[in-house]
Amino acid sequence: MTSLSAFEATPETDRGRTLYRMLLAVHAGIRGELVSVERLASAVVDGLSADGLNLELESLRNNSQLWQFQVSCLRYCRFVHSHHHAEDTDFFGELEETNPAIARVVERLRAEHREVSDYLDTVEAAARALTDNDSLDARRAVADALEALKGHLLAHLDYEERSVAATARRLRDVPFFNQLPKVTDSNRPTKEDHQ
């Protein structure tokens, strides 16, 4: 029988489990938004006119689905950039502090962030180009850029979730974290609380 390493013997923490669940939730949101943006890209490639009205979203500028697509695409790219920046500057350092053996995983994740950033930049450039060029080629460039992003981004998210789970769930607790009230069904805010 082998003994556990010091890291493996370290118990999981409330904060670590919560932060890991938050990471999974953010990643689920990224995946969900990617599906929405892809759906819009497909509509654009299928010939959606630049001035076609989007009746469900009348409050958006010009009610155009092409404009909606462009804005959604750019917003999505900014969010992923922001999420990766936060991981690079805060989360990964704490992972390495908690478990020095994870350094090679973190190095790979940072390299993948740089690669994904390049794909995001390509998507953003293609989406912006639709303002001046509404041709089928310009539309196809957006769809192709999104497809390349999708492949790399989804593989990255899967690798990250698998590789950091044990370490993330053992991140140190901090004093204020344990003083926060636990959200349960009995104290979860209701719609009436927000009115």
Side-chain angles (χ1 to χ4, degrees):
M1 184 196 268
T2 61
S3 63
L4 293 175
S5 71
F7 171 74
E8 292 170 318
T10 304
E12 292 183 2
T13 64
D14 288 339
R15 178 175 169 264
R17 284 189 297 270
T18 299
L19 290 176
Y20 184 66
R21 282 193 306 270
M22 289 171 56
L23 174 74
L24 294 177
V26 169
H27 284 186
I30 288 171
R31 287 180 179 100
E33 285 288 319
L34 183 57
V35 169
S36 297
V37 170
E38 281 185 300
R39 187 181 72 253
L40 287 169
S42 178
V44 168
V45 170
D46 288 345
L48 181 65
S49 72
D51 7 323
L53 294 180
N54 180 354
L55 299 176
E56 297 175 19
L57 298 167
E58 288 181 354
S59 63
L60 292 177
R61 177 180 156 211
N62 297 330
N63 298 326
S64 158
Q65 286 191 11
L66 185 57
W67 183 84
Q68 174 198 356
F69 166 73
Q70 191 175 30
V71 168
S72 294
C73 220
L74 296 173
R75 181 181 48 85
Y76 176 79
C77 290
R78 279 191 304 271
F79 177 79
V80 174
H81 277 302
S82 174
H83 169 68
H84 283 172
H85 177 74
E87 285 182 335
D88 286 342
T89 57
D90 297 322
F91 185 60
F92 291 163
E94 190 173 356
L95 286 174
E96 290 177 306
E97 184 180 301
T98 300
N99 179 12
I102 203 168
R104 288 179 56 189
V105 168
V106 169
E107 182 179 321
R108 175 178 165 176
L109 291 172
R110 283 188 170 121
E112 288 179 359
H113 282 182
R114 290 187 296 276
E115 291 171 8
V116 167
S117 179
D118 291 342
Y119 286 104
L120 290 167
D121 291 345
T122 301
V123 169
E124 288 175 310
R128 282 192 184 99
L130 287 175
T131 301
D132 299 321
N133 181 1
D134 187 21
S135 70
L136 181 58
D137 287 343
R139 293 164 183 253
R140 175 59 55 204
V142 175
D144 291 347
L146 280 168
E147 192 60 34
L149 169 66
K150 175 184 175 183
H152 287 84
L153 182 57
L154 293 178
H156 164 73
L157 296 176
D158 291 342
Y159 174 76
E160 181 176 334
E161 290 169 2
R162 282 190 321 274
S163 301
V164 306
T167 302
R169 290 191 307 256
R170 287 171 172 84
L171 293 175
R172 73 185 181 289
D173 274 330
V174 292
F176 79 89
F177 184 82
N178 291 329
Q179 296 171 4
L180 294 174
K182 300 284 189 232
V183 176
T184 63
D185 288 336
S186 63
N187 68 4
R188 189 175 309 277
T190 64
K191 289 181 184 176
E192 293 78 29
D193 293 334
H194 294 289
Q195 294 176 358

